[in-house]
Amino acid sequence: MTTRRGLLAGGVALAAGAAAYGVLGARPSVNLARATGFPRLQMPPLLDTSESGRFDVTAQSGTTSFIGGRATPTIGFNQPYLGPVVRVQKGPLQPKVANALSWPVSSHWHGLLVPGEHDGGPHLPIGPGSNWTPDMQIDQPPCTAFFHTHIHGRTAQDVYAGLAGVIHIVDGHDAERGLPETYGTDDLTLVIQDRRFAGDGRLAYANSMMDIMHGMTGDTILVNGQIGTAAHVPKGIVRLRIVNASNARIYSLRLSDSRPIHLIATDGGYLARPIALETLRMGPGERAEILVDFTSGHGVSLVSDGDPNQGIGGMMGRARGMLDGLTGARRFEVLPILVDERLPVAVAKIPDTIGGVAISLADFEIAKTRRFSLDMGMGGGMMGGFAINGDPFEMAVVNQRVRLGDTEKWVVSTTMLAHPFHIHGVSFQVVRENARDPLPESSGWKDTVVIDGETELLMRFTQPAGDRTPFMYHCHILEHEDGGMMGQFTVT
Ligand code: C2O
Ligand code: CU
Ligand code: CU
């Protein structure tokens, strides 16, 4: 029963079967033949709003059979765990978000550039039995976005239990760009999460102080809410839209036979041209679209190195400078991908250019520079001490006021751990990471970026947010966010 689970625990395989399926060594040799017996990875249901400009989602509870038929209580949008992929395009968008749960939830559109009143953050709770109908306008480049509940103090537990979904913004020009675009065939959506299960099949959540301090990680990988599946793709070029919907885990993704990851889009949309990478780092809340070349007919496995924040590589390891040697040794498998030659091939070559907007914010005058330090403390056996610039989040305190239309530089620094920093209502550019040029995966438009040291961001504020519904900036390790590593700002 456990043989198909992708298990990891401090980097060591738990189950015997995991030696074949799960954790990999420094030079992974993946037994893909074995994966032919795995259940096929299912895509989330597609809700296409292109015609209607409307969609309905209901936050609801249910049970999900993740492991061996045992029923796990979960929550989701329109289904027991996670939610649909909502496909939207430029123009009016009228969601109706209903809450069939017995506690307040919200629906934050992580990655949509909409005003504060439509943002779905902590100031826009939807009470039990109520619904929320923001009247929005979508006007931003194609990208893969994310939506999830965002009630202060319970975001982490409710996202962990399943309350999140995906948004694709499309413009109908992907064929001209030479990009695969057939949902579930050569354009796959992968929602990657790690979870921990108790013996009775329930999700185990935050049992120790370490789960709060380092953020909640699990020993079992879920892709689209499924454990131990394999994806099937055509013998051509395949697009993977990857969403790191984990509470805390930072992945360093690779392909098991070292073929390149061709990065084509970051959080905010397409790059000007593909960038070939060996490793793609993704913190919680980040999205990336990549192309993988299957024209050889050979399958491959998506694997990850260990999380720099966890285990011996966490605070203690960092202090001792042991980090780098250990992450490779903790490599594990995320998803085997098999070629099915019966599937239609639409794209047979990686395009040279994608045509993403590469305007430089450096051409704008910087109206203001702000500094943020992401703080965490440990004292007297108390967990937390999470704050930004020394101030823990307070619903009633607006921490920053920004002028609409201004370009600003935000300099964000961390102590102790790496923290994925996210800003609502804006797309930013990463200009410097630890006094160097940004990593390739940080070179496009972003709304979330892993900060490990000091990072400089440039952004222009185009969406208004007033005092009643300010925008948030926070660490996307959800335990840190709920613990107070969050602030809010108006744009007027
Ligand atoms: Cu995805 Cu404020 O969050
Ligand atoms: Cu957000
Ligand atoms: Cu954090």
Side-chain angles (χ1 to χ4, degrees):
M1 214 167 16
T2 51
T3 51
R4 286 204 304 250
R5 295 174 61 187
L7 291 171
L8 49 131
V12 181
L14 277 181
Y21 170 73
V23 179
L24 300 166
R27 280 212 81 201
S29 63
V30 173
N31 186 350
L32 280 167
R34 198 187 143 70
T36 55
F38 294 175
R40 190 175 174 146
L41 176 75
Q42 304 296 311
M43 289 297 109
L46 181 65
L47 272 188
D48 196 338
T49 70
S50 308
E51 298 277 295
S52 64
R54 296 170 180 271
F55 70 95
D56 285 17
V57 285
T58 300
Q60 58 186 60
S61 60
T63 57
T64 305
S65 167
F66 292 106
I67 324 167
R70 272 173 297 184
T72 304
T74 50
I75 56 179
F77 287 110
N78 291 359
Q79 57 189 36
Y81 185 79
L82 291 176
V85 166
V86 183
R87 183 187 277 164
V88 312
Q89 56 186 27
K90 188 172 172 161
L93 183 66
Q94 296 174 309
K96 178 175 174 191
V97 186
N99 181 8
L101 298 168
S102 57
W103 63 90
V105 301
S106 80
S107 186
H108 166 53
W109 317 113
H110 177 142
L112 296 196
L113 300 176
V114 295
E117 60 182 322
H118 298 152
D119 179 65
H123 296 278
L124 289 161
I126 308 165
S130 319
N131 55 62
W132 179 52
T133 52
D135 198 347
M136 315 203 286
Q137 285 291 330
I138 301 302
D139 185 11
Q140 66 185 89
C143 68
T144 299
F146 183 33
F147 65 104
H148 60 80
T149 187
H150 207 314
I151 299 295
H152 185 57
R154 61 174 310 145
T155 300
Q157 69 191 85
D158 286 347
V159 170
Y160 191 80
L163 210 48
V166 177
I167 298 171
H168 294 175
I169 298 184
V170 300
D171 68 358
H173 295 299
D174 279 354
E176 294 152 45
R177 293 184 180 99
L179 297 177
E181 57 167 351
T182 305
Y183 188 76
T185 301
D186 59 10
D187 180 355
L188 306 190
T189 296
L190 308 180
V191 179
I192 300 179
Q193 299 176 304
D194 58 332
R195 293 290 183 265
R196 204 183 297 164
F197 291 90
D200 61 359
R202 286 176 182 267
L203 285 166
Y205 182 71
N207 298 316
S208 75
M209 190 177 101
M210 220 37 126
D211 292 341
I212 305 294
M213 289 305 291
H214 288 198
M216 178 69 195
T217 52
D219 55 12
T220 304
I221 296 294
L222 277 64
V223 180
N224 299 343
Q226 299 149 53
I227 298 170
T229 61
H232 293 240
V233 299
K235 191 183 168 197
I237 306 298
V238 173
R239 178 197 320 216
L240 306 178
R241 300 174 185 254
I242 304 174
V243 180
N244 181 355
S246 308
N247 278 33
R249 182 175 289 279
I250 299 171
Y251 298 83
S252 294
L253 299 172
R254 300 163 174 270
L255 296 166
S256 55
D257 61 2
S258 307
R259 80 181 75 173
I261 288 173
H262 298 275
L263 181 70
I264 56 164
T266 52
D267 305 330
Y270 293 128
L271 302 173
R273 57 189 59 81
I275 300 177
L277 299 174
E278 194 181 320
T279 309
L280 171 63
R281 181 189 65 186
M282 288 188 76
E286 289 188 282
R287 291 88 61 212
E289 296 181 32
I290 66 173
L291 298 181
V292 182
D293 187 341
F294 289 97
T295 54
S296 68
H298 297 301
V300 77
S301 195
L302 186 64
V303 300
S304 175
D305 289 342
D307 179 349
N309 280 347
Q310 300 298 325
I312 199 163
M315 282 185 268
M316 300 309 168
R318 279 163 178 275
R320 283 184 263 135
M322 290 171 60
L323 183 58
D324 288 342
L326 286 165
T327 49
R330 294 185 288 143
R331 192 166 294 172
F332 56 90
E333 186 167 44
V334 174
L335 181 72
I337 306 173
L338 303 170
V339 174
D340 180 345
E341 299 205 2
R342 291 164 304 183
L343 294 171
V345 175
V347 176
K349 162 177 174 299
I350 306 279
D352 298 323
T353 61
I354 318 273
V357 207
I359 71 154
S360 173
L361 285 168
D363 299 341
F364 292 83
E365 193 188 331
I366 295 171
K368 201 172 168 87
T369 298
R370 298 177 203 255
R371 296 189 166 270
F372 299 89
S373 103
L374 308 181
D375 307 322
M376 54 191 290
M378 286 184 292
M382 281 285 296
M383 44 189 154
F386 298 111
I388 296 182
N389 293 341
D391 298 323
F393 179 75
E394 294 257 10
M395 281 294 274
V397 175
V398 170
N399 305 86
Q400 314 287 337
R401 295 186 180 276
V402 172
R403 275 200 330 241
L404 187 63
D406 272 3
T407 300
E408 296 198 357
K409 180 191 280 188
W410 287 20
V411 182
V412 190
S413 59
T414 60
T415 52
M416 294 210 272
L417 294 177
H419 300 274
F421 185 69
H422 169 55
I423 312 176
H424 289 209
V426 78
S427 263
F428 56 73
Q429 290 187 341
V430 180
V431 284
R432 300 293 277 167
E433 281 184 326
N434 297 323
R436 282 191 234 115
D437 286 341
L439 289 181
E441 53 264 55
S442 303
S443 65
W445 291 102
K446 299 285 295 165
D447 55 53
T448 311
V449 67
V450 174
I451 297 186
D452 192 2
E454 186 180 274
T455 300
E456 289 180 27
L457 312 172
L458 272 186
M459 65 208 86
R460 196 156 82 91
F461 295 90
T462 59
Q463 301 298 321
D467 280 76
R468 289 177 56 195
T469 51
F471 286 134
M472 305 290 135
Y473 52 88
H474 58 89
C475 176
H476 220 285
I477 292 179
L478 301 179
E479 288 71 27
H480 294 180
E481 172 192 333
D482 275 344
M485 197 182 281
M486 178 155 77
Q488 46 192 347
F489 66 103
T490 56
V491 182
T492 53

